[in-house]
């Protein structure tokens, strides 16, 4: 249910060249999963903007932008078809923001939390990049939760500082290497790095 305005444009040039653009604006959407007709979600506003280009063996996602009440997502990437039997080259980078309280209320099946626990507020931000080339894959990610506010066992908990995560890792024929893993919070810090054969982890906590 709802109102949707959509526009699709496509431009062909040459034999294998294509540019496509999509714009979508939806209002008052009501979503009801077929398997659970009594369960649903309502989206007051949804905006989608996408642009992609194909030139020969290369496909580029110039932008995929999604905005709604609980979530904002912005992605870009590229895909290169190989010559011969090599693996394709991929790269995706992006960022996202989410209101945790609005997201929990939006989901038709909220995340399972301990009895009596409820998310009252908080802002989640994500950014990162994933790439894969022949014989090498890399991932970089940063995440932060700010102003986390929740109740647990009839007690309100409001963190006075952010919870952050930083990760950088790569996989090559020599194996997996975690170059950086840092989980930081107002009450403790975990830092780790290494390989599957030589891994170091340090913990400090209040």
């Amino acid at each position: 249910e709802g109102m949707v305005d959509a526009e699709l444009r496509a431009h062909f040039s040459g034999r294998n060249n294509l540019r496509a653009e999509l714009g979508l604006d939806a209002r008052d959407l009501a979503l009801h999963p077929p398997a659970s007709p009594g369960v649903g979600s309502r989206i007051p506003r949804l905006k989608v903007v996408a642009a992609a280009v194909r030139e020969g063996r290369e496909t580029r996602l110039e932008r995929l932008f999604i905005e709604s009440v609980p979530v904002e997502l912005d992605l870009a990437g590229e895909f290169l078809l190989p010559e011969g039997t090599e693996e394709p080259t991929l790269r995706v980078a992006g960022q996202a923001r989410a209101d945790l309280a609005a997201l929990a209320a939006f989901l038709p099946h909220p995340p399972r939390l301990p009895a009596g626990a409820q998310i009252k507020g908080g802002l989640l931000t994500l950014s990162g990049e994933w790439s894969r080339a022949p014989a090498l894959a890399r991932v970089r990610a940063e995440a932060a939760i700010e102003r986390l506010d929740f109740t647990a066992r009839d007690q309100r908990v409001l963190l006075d500082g952010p919870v952050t995560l930083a990760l950088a890792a790569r996989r090559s024929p020599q194996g997996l290497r975690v170059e950086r893993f840092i989980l930081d919070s107002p009450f403790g810090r975990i830092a780790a790095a290494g390989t599957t054969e030589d891994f170091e982890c340090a913990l400090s906590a209040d």
Side-chain angles (χ1 to χ4, degrees), residues 1-5 24-33 39-48 66-70 106:
E1 302 174 6
M3 297 293 295
V4 177
D5 296 325
L24 184 146
D25 196 346
R27 299 171 298 281
D28 299 323
L29 287 181
L31 308 177
H32 302 284
V39 179
S41 301
R42 181 168 293 275
I43 307 176
R45 175 83 186 274
L46 174 65
K47 180 180 180 181
V48 179
I66 301 175
E67 182 183 18
S68 68
V69 172
F106 165 77

Side-chain angles (χ1 to χ4, degrees), residues 17-143:
N17 296 341
L18 167 68
R19 178 179 180 84
E21 298 177 353
L22 170 68
L24 184 146
D25 196 346
R27 299 171 298 281
D28 299 323
L29 287 181
L31 308 177
H32 302 284
S36 306
V39 179
S41 301
R42 181 168 293 275
I43 307 176
R45 175 83 186 274
L46 174 65
K47 180 180 180 181
V48 179
V49 177
V53 176
R54 173 163 183 166
E55 296 176 341
R57 297 185 300 111
E58 183 178 5
T59 300
R60 295 194 311 276
L61 177 64
E62 294 186 342
R63 192 182 191 194
L64 172 60
F65 178 76
I66 301 175
E67 182 183 18
S68 68
V69 172
V71 175
E72 180 180 298
L73 177 67
D74 202 348
L75 294 176
E78 55 191 22
F79 175 75
L80 178 62
L81 287 173
E83 293 182 352
T85 59
E86 292 185 353
E87 295 182 356
T89 299
L90 301 167
R91 186 188 68 83
V92 178
Q95 55 189 5
R97 293 163 55 92
D99 182 319
L100 293 179
L103 182 61
F106 165 77
L107 295 173
H109 299 285
R112 293 183 179 180
L113 299 174
Q118 185 177 8
I119 298 175
K120 297 290 187 178
L123 176 65
L124 170 65
T125 58
L126 301 168
S127 65
E129 181 176 347
W130 175 77
S131 62
R132 189 184 76 177
L136 181 63
R138 290 183 178 272
V139 62
R140 174 190 58 81
E142 290 86 29

